[in-house]
Amino acid sequence: MDPEAISNFLTEQRENAPEDLQQSFLTIEDYWDRKLWHQLTDVLLEYFNTAASAQQRLPLFKHFILTFAEKINQLKLVSLGLSTATQCSDDQERLSFLTDLTAKVNKPASQDAYVYALVSASDVKLRLQDFAGARRDLDSAESILDSFDSVETEVHAAFYRTNASYYQAKAEFGSYYRNALLYLACIDLKNLTLEDAQSRAYDLSIAALVSDSIYNFGELLLHPILDSLNDTQHSWLRDLLFAFNRGDLNAYNVLEVNISKAPLLDEHKAFLWQKISLSALTEAVFRRPPHDRAMTFQTISQETKVQPNEIEILIMKALSLGLLKGSIDQVAEIARINWVQPKVLDMKQIDNMRLRLKDWDSSVNNLGNWIEGVGRDVWAA
């Protein structure tokens, strides 16, 4: 497109723009005329971020931005393309647009932009139920990301968000949980709407509970996004997570009536009971001092409310999952535990630890007094 045609195009777009945005086109044309590509890119990004620009994004991108696309930051080009893609008529058109954009930035010097576009295209494939295609794109993006020393957080955020969406769609709860938390680590939570924050907190909580690979919720319990569930119809879910974390069977029994409100939890009800039993077991071990962790099956049954004939299976499950380390004396029906997996503590658990430290301090003092008394002649010599 020759300069005069571009000038006429921008004039036409300015006249079609809302009155309060027409000044932006004068700035755009000025920067384009002076070939100030960096400034031009920034003003275009600002313009595209206004809701009123929606109808003009496609024509501006196709007939104006693509004429100097090679001259601007390729990551910002993709950002402009993603804003433009929201105006496509459907996901098929959107995928075609993003596929072309991905091919355009697939150059050695702009692999970060390529990943950004590739991940965005895979997000559309997920909505179109093309899970195999989305997985190929995500695997390709991950291998490129792993080769970078550093990359813009927006690229990582896009990858983790889409990867989480894939695993959620495939009901792979553990992988969803980890990728969703990594996504939240890449963004400013203030940029999430309250509705989005509550939705993500809800999905993360469900995934943490039903996953057969997650038995430590520490990272989620400490994450501020969980507070978005306070004073909502799902506040019980937050309470349930904390009950699981401290192995509180009484709290679980009280909150169990809410499980039917969440279909996924209701489907995994038997598994949830096994999981809270494991948590109760690890909590019972944790409360005991290291020198008193030889527990009879009968004691464990009382602590976990699990039938005596199922205790050995429960302990073996805890050992296999790495929640505990130790051995089982099947004949004497005793479990000897020498290690328990660390976890986030609530105030009650911290107070129990404080009492244990006081007991330890007292024991050390008693030992010192005994040594002093028995070895008095030695010290005197």
Side-chain angles (χ1 to χ4, degrees), residues 252-272:
Y252 175 80
N253 290 333
V254 172
L255 294 165
E256 189 179 13
V257 296
N258 295 291
I259 287 178
S260 59
K261 298 176 183 177
L264 269 175
L265 293 186
D266 205 33
E267 289 175 23
H268 293 78
K269 202 167 183 178
F271 172 73
L272 290 176

Side-chain angles (χ1 to χ4, degrees), residues 186-229:
C186 294
I187 65 170
D188 186 346
L189 291 182
K190 295 176 182 176
N191 294 330
L192 290 179
T193 64
L194 179 59
E195 184 179 319
D196 193 15
Q198 290 173 348
S199 174
R200 292 186 180 281
Y202 177 86
D203 289 341
L204 272 166
S205 300
I206 296 294
L209 290 167
V210 302
S211 170
D212 60 2
S213 62
I214 299 170
Y215 289 83
N216 190 333
F217 311 141
E219 194 171 357
L220 177 57
L221 296 178
L222 293 174
H223 204 289
I225 199 166
L226 201 58
D227 294 334
S228 66
L229 294 179

Side-chain angles (χ1 to χ4, degrees), residues 175-188:
S175 296
Y176 164 75
Y177 177 85
R178 286 183 283 273
N179 279 274
L181 281 176
L182 286 168
Y183 164 66
L184 292 176
C186 294
I187 65 170
D188 186 346

Side-chain angles (χ1 to χ4, degrees), residues 293-363:
R293 288 182 173 172
M295 302 173 66
T296 65
F297 285 13
Q298 183 62 36
T299 299
I300 294 173
S301 178
Q302 292 171 355
E303 294 275 2
T304 62
K305 305 294 188 293
V306 173
Q307 295 299 316
N309 62 330
E310 298 177 357
I311 292 300
E312 187 174 349
I313 296 174
L314 181 70
I315 300 169
M316 290 174 65
K317 183 74 173 177
L319 293 172
S320 68
L321 291 168
L323 303 178
L324 301 173
K325 291 181 182 178
S327 60
I328 302 173
D329 186 334
Q330 294 174 306
V331 176
E333 294 191 338
I334 293 175
R336 294 182 173 85
I337 310 301
N338 52 44
W339 180 88
V340 59
Q341 185 185 72
K343 60 182 176 180
V344 171
L345 306 180
D346 60 20
M347 294 306 296
K348 184 177 179 181
Q349 291 169 310
I350 291 173
D351 188 58
N352 287 336
M353 180 171 281
R354 179 184 66 83
L355 294 175
R356 282 172 50 193
L357 286 171
K358 286 181 67 176
D359 290 341
W360 174 80
D361 182 59
S362 177
S363 297

